[in-house]
Amino acid sequence: MSEVVQKSKLAKVAAGSMGTLTTQQKNEALLLMADALVTETAAIIAANAKDLQRGRELGTSASLLDRLMLNKSRIAAIAEGLRQIAELPDPVGDTLETFDRPNGLRIHKIRVPLGVIGIIYEARPNVTVDAAGLCLKTGNAVVLRGGSAALHSNEKIVEVLHGALERSAIPANALQLILNADRSSVDEMLKLNGLIDVLIPRGGHSLIQNVVNNASVPVIETGAGVCHTFIDESADLAMAIRIAINAKAQRPSVCNSMETLLVHEAFAAKHLSAVAEAFRGANVELRGDSEALALVPSMNEAVDSDWGTEYGDYILAVKVVSGLDEALEHIRTYGTMHSECIVTENAANAERFLQEVDAAAVYHNASTRFTDGFEFGFGAEIGISTQKLHARGPMGLPALTSTKYRVYGSGQIRE
């Protein structure tokens, strides 16, 4: 029996008892997990150092190394995330709807756990803790398969969390980590119908598309973010620069960072040089179309592939557009239905943008970096869903539940 099957079976058995846990029991476990992470900070940092060293040897980019790196303050923040999850309302058992039928049946629709959730992700060890916390809080077992870049970090983190769970009411087997870093372990998870109830991929475009295209287990698609900011003709210059710089440079490696800046031609004629200067000050490489290059010759020339690329780095594609219609068409062509922004003082254009752009989150005069479970008030998130079924946008606790109908009768039979 493979590691994937063995651990998924253990998770399935554990999931059977998770639904009976009280909110207090689950919260106590989360707090124990948080305390354990802080107590074992030195050991986690030592394990993380092995992953960082391997990443440097393989030539991993600085932005990806930043996503991988753990230190005392980051571990403290991750632990605090678990404490915040413990404070959030528990959706399991909530009654969503109650109605009576003419034949006397009483029907209650309630929230229940999904069961076993498989998470496939890349080089962000904080996801290991966030996923564990959110899944366990909602009464789900979880099978984690992180990337090889964070293998030592994830193994130590799960070891620490298991130690905490063994002192709690949650069965330790409800949290499983796949250590086999070969792609075959991912391929195996994709077909584990009956053991894994839903898969959530978190990572780059190729990882997500592999899961979406090849899984027979239901998938919630997340993450790929070719996000745009459109600076309209009427935009306030200072606001536009502030929003655009934040959207790109505040943390470029995450999925809600801006990858393409669209600029109205009238605004560009007056202000693109000032915008470009601000990005140079933020160490962002600009790749412009021919109109942008004519206004700011110091930019590098964009090629066709730039418009659909999620850089995850200090690189930004810049396109000058004739107006809102061309901006909308560009987003329809290259967007990934994640997060899109318009900066404008024109209320009608703002409303059109918010109405017509098909994305999980659309913004007027605010940075796309706010597409985040914490920023939306959901606590830590399991990911950003870019699909339309079951969940969309930042996925907090309710997104990790399904529903069940409880039907109460007094001897009714169907004629």
Side-chain angles (χ1 to χ4, degrees), residues 230 232 234 324 328 341-358 362-365:
F230 169 49
D232 196 14
S234 65
L324 178 58
L328 291 171
C341 166
I342 182 172
V343 184
T344 186
E345 298 302 307
N346 184 314
N349 282 358
E351 185 57 32
R352 268 197 69 196
F353 188 92
L354 297 173
Q355 181 68 30
E356 295 183 28
V357 170
D358 187 7
V362 286
Y363 293 84
H364 174 210
N365 291 350

Side-chain angles (χ1 to χ4, degrees), residues 409-413:
S410 54
Q412 290 90 336
I413 60 172

Side-chain angles (χ1 to χ4, degrees), residues 302-325:
V303 297
D304 287 344
S305 61
D306 283 312
W307 309 121
T309 297
E310 184 178 13
Y311 302 109
D313 206 344
Y314 288 91
I315 304 170
L316 179 67
V318 181
K319 182 177 179 65
V320 175
V321 296
S322 58
L324 178 58
D325 287 335

Side-chain angles (χ1 to χ4, degrees), residues 180-258:
N180 179 5
D182 189 82
R183 179 171 171 169
S184 63
S185 63
V186 172
D187 295 339
E188 196 171 2
M189 288 180 71
L190 304 185
K191 307 297 184 182
L192 279 189
N193 300 73
L195 290 180
I196 295 176
D197 295 289
V198 64
L199 287 167
I200 302 175
R202 291 191 57 170
H205 179 75
S206 61
L207 180 151
I208 293 169
Q209 288 308 302
N210 175 50
V211 174
V212 170
N213 293 333
N214 296 301
S216 57
V217 174
V219 176
I220 300 176
E221 184 174 354
T222 72
V226 179
C227 303
H228 302 76
T229 298
F230 169 49
I231 302 178
D232 196 14
E233 179 179 10
S234 65
D236 176 82
L237 175 60
M239 179 190 293
I241 289 176
R242 188 168 64 251
I243 289 173
I245 293 292
N246 181 263
K248 175 75 262 185
Q250 197 258 347
R251 195 173 181 189
S253 62
V254 294
C255 62
N256 57 20
S257 67
M258 171 179 60

Side-chain angles (χ1 to χ4, degrees), residues 118-309:
I119 313 287
I120 300 171
Y121 57 107
E122 293 177 330
R124 292 182 67 182
N126 64 295
V127 174
T128 302
V129 181
D130 289 349
L134 288 162
C135 290
L136 297 178
K137 171 81 174 198
T138 46
N140 296 290
V142 59
V143 179
L144 302 171
R145 199 286 190 181
S148 59
L151 186 61
H152 294 96
S153 306
N154 291 335
E155 184 176 12
K156 176 54 68 173
I157 287 169
V158 170
E159 177 187 319
V160 170
L161 296 182
H162 271 161
L165 290 177
E166 287 168 358
R167 295 180 281 119
S168 79
I170 292 180
N173 281 337
L175 171 59
Q176 298 291 337
L177 174 69
I178 304 302
L179 297 175
N180 179 5
D182 189 82
R183 179 171 171 169
S184 63
S185 63
V186 172
D187 295 339
E188 196 171 2
M189 288 180 71
L190 304 185
K191 307 297 184 182
L192 279 189
N193 300 73
L195 290 180
I196 295 176
D197 295 289
V198 64
L199 287 167
I200 302 175
R202 291 191 57 170
H205 179 75
S206 61
L207 180 151
I208 293 169
Q209 288 308 302
N210 175 50
V211 174
V212 170
N213 293 333
N214 296 301
S216 57
V217 174
V219 176
I220 300 176
E221 184 174 354
T222 72
V226 179
C227 303
H228 302 76
T229 298
F230 169 49
I231 302 178
D232 196 14
E233 179 179 10
S234 65
D236 176 82
L237 175 60
M239 179 190 293
I241 289 176
R242 188 168 64 251
I243 289 173
I245 293 292
N246 181 263
K248 175 75 262 185
Q250 197 258 347
R251 195 173 181 189
S253 62
V254 294
C255 62
N256 57 20
S257 67
M258 171 179 60
E259 302 294 7
T260 298
L261 179 67
L262 304 173
V263 187
H264 190 289
E265 60 185 5
F267 185 96
K270 297 177 182 178
H271 303 303
L272 186 58
S273 59
V275 173
E277 183 62 30
F279 275 109
R280 277 193 290 272
N283 296 314
V284 175
E285 175 194 341
L286 300 180
R287 299 180 181 179
D289 69 346
S290 58
E291 289 83 357
L293 285 169
L295 293 167
V296 185
S298 60
M299 289 187 190
N300 294 320
E301 184 177 1
V303 297
D304 287 344
S305 61
D306 283 312
W307 309 121
T309 297

